[in-house]
Amino acid sequence: MIKLIPIEKLLPGMYIHDLNCGWMEHNFVRNRFPVKSSEIVDKVRALGVHELYIDTSRGLDLEEAPTQEEAAHEVDEALEAIAIVAPAQQASVQHEVQRARNLHSEANRIVRDMMGDIRLGKQIQLEQIEPLVERIVDSIFRQQDAMLPLARLKDHDEYTFQHSVSVCALMTSFARTLELPREIIHEIAIGALLHDVGKAKVPDQILNKPAKLTDAEFAKMKSHVVQSKIILQGTPGISQIALDVAAQHHERFDGTGYPNRLKDDEISLYGQMGAIVDVYDAITSHRVYHKGMAPTEALRKLLEWSKFHFNPTLVQAFIRAVGIYPTGSLVRLESRRLAVVQAQTPENLMQPVVKVIFHTRGYYLTPETVDLRHSQDRIVGHEDFEAWNIDPARWLPE
């Protein structure tokens, strides 16, 4: 049986089923392993996790701990409460799709070139970045469902660049949902696009290592945050808002983050937002040695972790920004059909517009667009594209 226990109750002899933190937040080789000694207990506690899952069939039990199903029920209830408040109305997806795709490709190229320049010791030219950022903000304001699905399409070799563009788009949508002023959103988006520039100072063999990092390599990777701050502080015209996004996106609400172990309101609003978005994009992305989570499962994890690591109110706002079943994700309908989410709807995040494409009996269907607000069918869960051998890029909104 899988149970959720507080970190204080972790003992040698237990078997960890899930460390319950983002995979980039630790450098254990596996997420599941036996706790063989008090030294392992200490190392797990040092991660800053407050709760984790144990497998009582493979190790010691904790009788009073809730089961995984009981913990999941609590998260489900919270998601249902969030679903009744939705993002603002936007234009139709079709009108924005091609423009968003072209912009996404251009942004990836610009960030790749910029990181190369930083490696050569060149300074960031903000006047080259600002027009790009403004076009991304414009696209998200016109129709976020055109650009946000592109955030999940990443190549292993270009993850660092594509992650930066994805975080920029997601942060823009997040800030829009919070109804922040347009000029503030622009600065947030700049900070998001540049939040990982310090990785230009991290060796490629560490950035692209197809295995877990050693302790020394992990420390070098974590140093990118300080490097980002140094680089941006030397960038003429950079705002404090953009600097906060980059310098604080690995801080955690409970003080367990890095580099400065800031907590609560010591972290700016923009740093708190950056932390949420950075983790979401990281844990939903496929890497050489790590399979990304389905978007809905990642949102469930963020909600669960918001008890400690993130501002709960902001996590709920982020979920409203992207939807319970984010655009571009694969869902299972009550009719046993699989569908790709095409657009969010203003009335209820549990009833998006979807494109039905596949039957769980194992065959493709004639594609059909269905607005679940006006259908007897309903979503009963999320699915994994890879498990059904379906290419997500083929079914992007169009």
Side-chain angles (χ1 to χ4, degrees):
M1 182 181 295
I2 309 302
K3 289 187 172 183
L4 180 66
I5 69 166
I7 188 64
E8 295 81 9
K9 299 292 186 181
L10 183 64
L11 296 171
M14 289 181 170
Y15 188 93
I16 293 177
H17 176 77
D18 183 354
L19 284 167
N20 205 26
C21 67
W23 63 271
M24 294 185 72
E25 303 298 317
H26 69 84
N27 63 332
F28 283 97
V29 175
R30 297 178 178 84
N31 207 32
R32 300 178 182 181
F33 52 88
V35 181
K36 296 181 178 180
S37 65
S38 57
E39 286 76 17
I40 293 180
V41 172
D42 292 340
K43 189 172 182 179
V44 173
R45 288 179 177 174
L47 295 176
V49 299
H50 293 266
E51 297 176 327
L52 49 73
Y53 291 92
I54 61 170
D55 186 342
T56 62
S57 69
R58 306 182 70 174
L60 297 177
D61 191 4
L62 183 66
E63 288 190 12
E64 67 269 24
T67 66
Q68 186 177 36
E69 290 74 19
E70 290 168 338
H73 180 69
E74 182 180 337
V75 174
D76 286 340
E77 289 184 333
L79 282 175
E80 289 175 9
I82 293 169
I84 61 173
V85 183
Q89 293 268 19
Q90 294 189 312
S92 68
V93 180
Q94 289 79 7
H95 291 158
E96 187 62 24
V97 165
Q98 193 55 54
R99 184 158 42 183
R101 291 179 182 177
N102 293 339
L103 179 57
H104 187 263
S105 296
E106 180 185 354
N108 284 324
R109 177 184 56 77
I110 289 174
V111 173
R112 181 177 60 248
D113 293 346
M114 178 189 68
M115 295 289 275
D117 288 344
I118 293 171
R119 287 193 176 99
L120 295 174
K122 297 181 181 179
Q123 193 175 60
I124 295 173
Q125 302 299 315
L126 208 57
E127 61 271 19
Q128 296 177 1
I129 298 297
E130 287 194 318
L132 170 69
V133 166
E134 190 60 22
R135 289 165 60 201
I136 291 174
V137 173
D138 285 342
S139 179
I140 294 294
F141 267 69
R142 285 192 297 266
Q143 178 47 264
Q144 69 176 35
D145 288 321
M147 179 166 280
L148 292 191
L150 301 173
R152 295 197 65 224
L153 303 181
K154 298 183 179 72
D155 297 324
H156 297 313
D157 295 337
E158 297 200 335
Y159 170 80
T160 299
F161 320 128
Q162 294 170 342
H163 170 67
S164 296
V165 176
S166 297
V167 169
C168 180
L170 288 163
M171 282 284 277
T172 300
S173 176
F174 191 2
R176 182 175 183 271
T177 297
L178 292 174
E179 299 182 343
L180 297 178
R182 178 67 182 251
E183 61 272 18
I184 298 295
I185 294 176
H186 178 83
E187 297 303 326
I188 289 172
I190 289 175
L193 191 71
L194 303 178
H195 79 288
D196 268 350
V197 292
K199 286 185 176 177
K201 303 295 185 180
V202 178
D204 281 341
Q205 60 264 34
I206 293 178
L207 282 178
N208 301 319
K209 185 177 179 181
K212 274 296 181 182
L213 303 178
T214 66
D215 289 346
E217 290 169 338
F218 195 51
K220 183 68 175 177
M221 177 68 84
K222 291 168 69 174
S223 74
H224 81 272
V225 181
V226 173
Q227 292 296 330
S228 292
K229 183 176 181 179
I230 292 171
I231 291 168
L232 293 181
Q233 283 177 326
T235 301
I238 201 73
S239 69
Q240 186 60 48
I241 291 172
L243 194 59
D244 283 349
V245 174
Q248 298 177 354
H249 72 276
H250 278 290
E251 301 289 356
R252 295 294 178 262
F253 209 54
D254 58 359
T256 61
Y258 63 88
N260 297 314
R261 300 184 72 84
L262 302 178
K263 64 185 300 184
D264 300 328
D265 292 339
E266 293 174 351
I267 313 169
S268 71
L269 168 64
Y270 318 113
Q272 292 178 36
M273 292 170 63
I276 292 167
V277 173
D278 181 71
V279 167
Y280 172 78
D281 191 67
I283 65 178
T284 54
S285 299
H286 293 310
R287 302 297 298 276
V288 174
Y289 65 98
H290 178 87
K291 182 180 177 181
M293 286 184 187
T296 299
E297 187 58 32
L299 294 173
R300 291 171 56 87
K301 280 296 183 186
L302 285 176
L303 196 56
E304 185 177 351
W305 296 338
S306 72
K307 289 186 289 184
F308 306 105
H309 296 312
F310 306 114
N311 183 322
T313 301
L314 289 181
V315 169
Q316 293 169 25
F318 178 67
I319 294 172
R320 289 197 295 272
V322 299
I324 306 294
Y325 300 100
T327 306
S329 59
L330 185 67
V331 295
R332 183 175 69 259
L333 303 178
E334 192 172 45
S335 61
R336 297 183 60 193
R337 300 180 297 172
L338 302 185
V340 180
V341 178
Q342 300 293 295
Q344 304 298 316
T345 56
E347 288 86 357
N348 193 322
L349 296 179
M350 293 289 192
Q351 298 175 323
V353 176
V354 302
K355 179 171 287 186
V356 178
I357 62 168
F358 197 82
H359 198 284
T360 54
R361 289 175 182 164
Y363 54 86
Y364 278 96
L365 301 167
T366 301
E368 175 190 1
T369 299
V370 178
D371 186 336
L372 292 177
R373 292 172 298 179
H374 312 301
S375 171
Q376 296 298 312
D377 220 342
R378 67 185 184 92
I379 296 174
V380 294
H382 61 83
E383 290 287 339
D384 179 18
F385 281 101
E386 193 173 310
W388 294 96
N389 198 28
I390 296 172
D391 179 7
R394 179 182 173 189
W395 302 106
L396 289 171
E398 58 185 19

